[in-house]
């Protein structure tokens, strides 16, 4: 037969093109949940009958903080705490349908990696890389800015121009 036959159990075949799988072989797929805003394939309807699918929630607060500390060892612990609190609120609003986008640990990791690599940019630039798209909807944007402010994260203000240089 053509291609690779990766069978486990049943009749064993020998010969060219046959690859036997180890009994502990696992495949891990990372997939976004179905529907808006991802608009990709519904993983469960495409692969659900072939694989044992497991939905994994975002990590709990302490696990998320531990992960973020690994990505940003030089990022202030207090800032990490405030980011986790703010994103927890954003996720809760996604779970209740207030927001469509489910702000995940992936966004927090990107923010922390930015602050770690470019500390001179500050938290506002790092947040803009992740959240600027939301400015298209004024109500959502105001809510996000409000949640960040409530958690002690300065965001949403325009940078001050140095007038002395004019």
């Amino acid at each position: 037969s053509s291609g690779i036959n990766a069978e486990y159990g049943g009749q064993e075949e020998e010969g060219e093109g046959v690859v036997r799988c180890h009994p502990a072989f696992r495949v891990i797929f990372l997939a976004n949940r179905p529907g808006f805003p991802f608009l990709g394939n519904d993983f469960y309807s495409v692969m659900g009958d072939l694989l044992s699918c497991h939905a994994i929630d975002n990590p709990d607060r302490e696990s998320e903080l531990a992960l973020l500390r690994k990505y940003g060892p030089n990022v202030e612990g207090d800032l990490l705490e405030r980011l986790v609190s703010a994103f927890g609120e954003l996720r809760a609003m996604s779970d209740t349908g207030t927001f469509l986008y489910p702000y995940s640990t992936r966004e927090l990791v990107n923010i922390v990696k930015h602050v770690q690599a470019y500390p001179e940019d500050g938290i506002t630039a790092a947040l803009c890389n992740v959240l600027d798209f939301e400015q298209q909807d004024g109500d959502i944007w105001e809510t996000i800015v409000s949640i960040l402010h409530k958690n002690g994260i300065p965001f949403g203000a325009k940078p001050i121009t140095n007038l002395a240089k004019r």
Side-chain angles (χ1 to χ4, degrees):
S1 79
S2 63
I4 295 177
N5 181 357
E7 241 178 60
Y8 174 69
Q11 192 76 322
E12 288 191 26
E13 295 181 32
E14 295 294 331
E16 191 175 325
V18 175
V19 177
R20 282 192 285 274
C21 292
H22 187 278
F25 176 77
R26 301 288 183 267
V27 175
I28 298 175
F29 291 97
L30 296 177
N32 290 320
R33 62 187 185 187
F36 189 83
F38 303 111
L39 305 177
N41 292 326
D42 179 349
F43 183 79
Y44 296 107
S45 70
V46 175
M47 301 295 288
D49 59 338
L50 302 173
L51 304 169
S52 176
C53 300
H54 303 279
I56 309 288
D57 289 328
N58 285 301
D60 62 55
R61 180 180 179 82
E62 290 308 313
S63 299
E64 192 166 55
L65 281 166
L67 176 70
L68 295 176
R69 285 183 193 109
K70 295 287 184 183
Y71 280 103
N74 299 324
V75 178
E76 291 178 32
D78 181 55
L79 176 59
L80 296 177
E81 296 263 356
R82 290 181 280 142
L83 286 167
V84 168
S85 294
F87 272 72
E89 286 188 52
L90 293 173
R91 286 184 201 127
M93 295 181 91
S94 173
D95 291 344
T96 62
T98 304
F99 292 147
L100 296 174
Y101 191 79
Y103 303 93
S104 69
T105 300
R106 175 182 9 197
E107 284 79 27
L108 274 175
V109 165
N110 287 329
I111 291 165
V112 170
K113 283 171 65 176
H114 184 119
V115 173
Q116 176 69 27
Y118 308 103
E120 67 281 356
D121 284 358
I123 187 63
T124 299
L127 285 164
C128 284
N129 283 339
V130 170
L131 299 173
D132 266 358
F133 181 78
E134 303 299 354
Q135 288 190 53
Q136 294 182 39
D137 184 320
D139 292 336
I140 289 176
W141 183 249
E142 285 180 25
T143 303
I144 290 171
V145 170
S146 172
I147 288 170
L148 292 170
H149 286 179
K150 181 175 126 185
N151 285 281
I153 301 168
F155 184 71
K158 301 284 185 217
I160 299 171
T161 304
N162 185 346
L163 297 176
K165 290 185 177 183
R166 287 188 173 184

